[in-house]
Amino acid sequence: MSEAVAGTVAERFTELYGTGPQGVWAAPGRVNLIGEHTDYNDGFVMPFALPHTAVAAVSRRDDGVLRLHSADVDSGVAELRLDALAPESDKDWTAYPAGVVWALREAGHAVTGADVHLASTVPSGAGLSSSAALEVVVALALNDLFDLGLRGWQLARLCQRAENVYVGAPVGIMDQTASACCTQGHALFLDTRDLSQQQIPFDLAAEGLRLLVVDTQVKHSHSEGEYGKRRAGCEKGAALLGVDALRDIAYHDLDAALDRLGDEEEVRRLVRHVVTEDRRVERVVSLLEAGETRGIGPVLVEGHASLRDDFRISCPELDLVVEASLAAGALGARMTGGGFGGSAIVLAEEADVDAIGKAVTEAFAAAGFTAPRVFEAVPSAGARRLA
């Protein structure tokens, strides 16, 4: 998909800026298989890259000017001065690529300007990390064009800083690392504390399985308050329990930890979700390594219940996807992403995919919801240069 649009993006760049780009790069969105809201608690996550990507045609400049254009936004070329970039000064889409330039320069990297044209097939607001794809593709392009010598995990760290500080969204490290570091046919088992990675084979088609993404069309935004409240609650729980992060609460010590929290009921729920979710990631890794892919289905369902009941970030549309797909024969399903909308994933036998998609669509119609978008998620390559 990315390779097919590289030429088109390069042609549009030439139309906009009067000369051809020095290169074209792609960075994917991601689906998180398991491990939700654990990344900012120093825990475990397990995303994989989608075939849907942000593609950028880029050339370097040496005059302190950043010019940005997106095929997906109805506006002209935005022109910014690098020395005027400041955190939370930009509330437009340009904050994401501009934030990357700001973060690179803040870290001491001599980025002196760029012309950028972007086009993305990652659905926006669907919980599939469209913003991280945008950040990573720009970071990778600048890394190459300015010979910065940064590795994927380092680019991910800088992109996270761009989103945390420049954009003002308190996201963890998972999305950027997934976009920068995933490999085709694998899920990425990532320890967000030390950023150690393990590529876990995840070839569903070879086993007669499919993973569907159901975009509920309910939009969400990380920079709105509820995400931040959950993160603050987790940090409060860690402080009350005397640990650096909730990652440090062992699963077998969970009941004792919850008892110590006393009547802090909201914090208790958040702690319970994070500790059990870390355990679920470890269970999924073990099942996949043992070749028992179908066995992860019930673990996905447990994860959804925890996000719905303890973390309280689901919504009626996400719950309906899970209920309708399971009733139609799915092996497992859960919401994925930050919550309050976005997408759910459904693990199914190949033969059941059409019936499940039909059941979910009919259930949405019966409930009076906007029709969902259903597509297959194929574990794909991470960020890369195309031309």
Side-chain angles (χ1 to χ4, degrees):
M1 185 181 295
S2 306
E3 287 73 5
V5 302
T8 303
V9 172
E11 288 173 11
R12 182 64 175 131
F13 180 100
T14 304
E15 292 172 6
L16 289 164
Y17 300 119
T19 185
Q22 290 177 285
V24 181
W25 292 260
R30 66 95 187 97
V31 164
N32 192 24
L33 182 63
I34 193 74
E36 217 65 76
H37 289 270
T38 49
D39 60 346
Y40 54 80
N41 290 292
D42 281 2
F44 304 127
V45 294
M46 200 171 184
F48 63 87
L50 288 168
H52 307 73
T53 58
V55 177
V58 186
S59 287
R60 62 177 285 169
R61 298 175 66 100
D62 299 309
D63 59 357
V65 171
L66 176 64
R67 294 196 293 181
L68 301 167
H69 185 267
S70 171
D72 309 305
V73 179
D74 187 17
S75 63
V77 174
E79 185 167 315
L80 307 170
R81 294 287 316 174
L82 299 192
D83 55 12
L85 299 180
E88 300 195 53
S89 61
D90 185 352
K91 298 302 180 185
D92 207 349
W93 72 270
T94 51
Y96 295 96
V100 170
V101 175
W102 172 85
L104 284 166
R105 286 165 57 85
E106 283 284 299
H109 300 293
V111 175
T112 55
D115 287 337
V116 181
H117 171 60
L118 292 145
S120 179
T121 57
V122 185
S124 177
L128 303 175
S129 299
S130 58
S131 59
L134 201 62
E135 293 156 1
V136 170
V137 74
V138 171
L140 182 61
L142 297 176
N143 185 51
D144 286 356
L145 290 175
F146 288 93
D147 296 318
L148 303 181
L150 298 170
R151 298 172 63 187
W153 66 269
Q154 293 172 305
L155 294 175
R157 276 279 192 224
L158 287 163
C159 290
Q160 182 198 18
R161 177 165 166 76
E163 192 156 352
N164 287 170
V165 180
Y166 195 90
V167 178
V171 299
I173 191 65
M174 174 181 67
D175 296 351
Q176 291 83 4
T177 307
S179 187
C181 301
C182 278
T183 61
Q184 188 169 347
H186 294 78
L188 178 68
F189 177 34
L190 174 67
D191 182 334
T192 65
R193 169 162 281 171
D194 61 13
L195 294 191
S196 59
Q197 303 175 19
Q198 185 180 352
Q199 301 286 348
I200 306 295
F202 193 51
D203 186 355
L204 295 167
E207 300 189 53
L209 297 171
R210 294 290 186 271
L211 192 80
L212 300 178
V213 174
V214 182
D215 177 3
T216 65
Q217 308 281 358
V218 178
K219 302 300 182 185
H220 73 169
S221 173
H222 276 161
S223 51
E224 291 175 2
E226 291 300 321
Y227 183 98
K229 288 180 186 175
R230 300 306 188 281
R231 182 164 184 162
C234 290
E235 291 168 355
K236 180 180 179 181
L240 289 171
L241 292 168
V243 293
D244 291 336
L246 294 183
R247 150 74 174 277
D248 296 312
I249 304 298
Y251 179 71
H252 62 261
D253 292 333
L254 176 59
D255 288 343
L258 296 177
D259 287 344
R260 287 165 57 198
L261 291 170
D263 59 2
E264 292 275 0
E265 184 53 38
E266 183 176 355
V267 175
R268 282 165 54 92
R269 287 190 284 99
L270 298 178
V271 170
R272 183 165 53 223
H273 166 74
V274 172
V275 176
T276 58
E277 186 78 349
D278 272 336
R279 180 63 182 146
R280 280 186 284 273
V281 178
E282 293 177 312
R283 288 165 61 197
V284 167
V285 171
S286 295
L287 287 163
L288 291 178
E289 289 184 328
E292 298 176 16
T293 306
R294 286 168 175 79
I296 74 174
V299 187
L300 302 183
V301 178
E302 287 176 32
H304 183 78
S306 182
L307 290 161
R308 180 192 64 211
D309 301 336
D310 277 344
F311 229 68
R312 299 190 180 182
I313 57 169
S314 189
C315 65
E317 291 85 351
L318 289 167
D319 293 341
L320 186 56
V321 175
V322 173
E323 293 160 11
S325 60
L326 292 174
L331 299 171
R334 74 171 190 91
M335 61 154 285
T336 188
F340 310 105
S343 299
I345 55 174
V346 180
L347 180 68
E349 300 285 354
E350 183 178 7
D352 295 334
V353 164
D354 290 343
I356 290 168
K358 183 171 183 284
V360 170
T361 301
E362 290 177 349
F364 267 55
F369 296 152
T370 299
R373 179 181 178 219
V374 183
F375 59 93
E376 185 180 349
V378 180
S380 301
R384 59 209 182 272
R385 185 167 187 161
L386 301 178

